[in-house]
Amino acid sequence: ISAVGASASGLLGGVVADWLATSSFFTTSSSSSGNRDDPLGRRLWVPVVGSVLAAPTWYFAVHSQDSFGTAMVWLAAEYFVAECWFGPTISTLQSTVAPRVGGTAQGAFTLTGGVANLAPSLLGYLYGQQQQQQSNVAIVDDLSNLLALGVCFGYLASAVCFAVAALSPPKE
């Protein structure tokens, strides 16, 4: 599920972002609207949409009551919509920093991702704290709720951050 869904999402996300950035359909006349056209900002709407769609698909994957198969379908959908951010984000990063600091910017981006990877450890710690205080039956429900809350919050917070970046004025 991860290999196929995430790979397809990453590739399709890059293709759609490139199309959004280069399509004349989305260009506006600066004289009529008063705003400058921002192809890079348009590109970042791909991860906004992907992050917003990832939250409910993750929730349904964790809380599916139908069957294991249904949960896996939701998980596949989650991977398919969630992983579309790589191409648009990295291409935007490389397009907005000076060439002499591109490596530093990419390194900082990678470090940020590494720090964000501490989130599962934090959720595990919170789960462990709950486990010490409750019976085993309540823990399973609490784990799914904890995962749903933590991951869905992360997706929605990411969508807000991507939207702020997409709406920021283009560089002069």
Side-chain angles (χ1 to χ4, degrees):
I1 287 175
S2 174
V4 172
S7 297
S9 179
L11 182 59
L12 188 60
V15 169
V16 171
D18 287 343
W19 177 77
L20 288 173
T22 59
S23 176
S24 61
F25 178 77
F26 296 99
T27 58
T28 59
S29 168
S30 60
S31 59
S32 65
S33 67
N35 296 328
R36 287 188 51 207
D37 184 40
D38 183 14
L40 291 175
R42 287 195 313 262
R43 182 176 291 191
L44 289 175
W45 287 105
V46 170
V48 170
V49 171
S51 295
V52 168
L53 293 175
T57 55
W58 172 259
Y59 180 86
F60 290 129
V62 173
H63 285 93
S64 178
Q65 299 294 320
D66 295 333
S67 67
F68 177 75
T70 301
M72 293 301 98
V73 168
W74 281 113
L75 184 62
E78 184 266 340
Y79 271 108
F80 184 72
V81 297
E83 302 301 325
C84 64
W85 65 272
F86 288 105
T89 303
I90 292 173
S91 65
T92 300
L93 173 70
Q94 291 299 316
S95 297
T96 55
V97 299
R100 61 181 172 72
V101 294
T104 302
Q106 183 63 46
F109 176 79
T110 302
L111 178 62
T112 303
V115 170
N117 283 333
L118 294 175
S121 297
L122 175 62
L123 289 175
Y125 174 77
L126 293 173
Y127 174 70
Q129 294 300 314
Q130 287 180 346
Q131 188 175 17
Q132 291 176 359
Q133 298 172 2
Q134 297 177 355
S135 71
N136 287 339
V137 174
I139 291 170
V140 174
D141 289 338
D142 288 341
L143 178 59
S144 63
N145 288 331
L146 183 63
L147 285 171
L149 179 65
V151 174
C152 291
F153 173 78
Y155 280 136
L156 295 175
S158 295
V160 169
C161 292
F162 283 124
V164 167
L167 293 170
S168 64
K171 63 181 181 178
E172 296 294 322

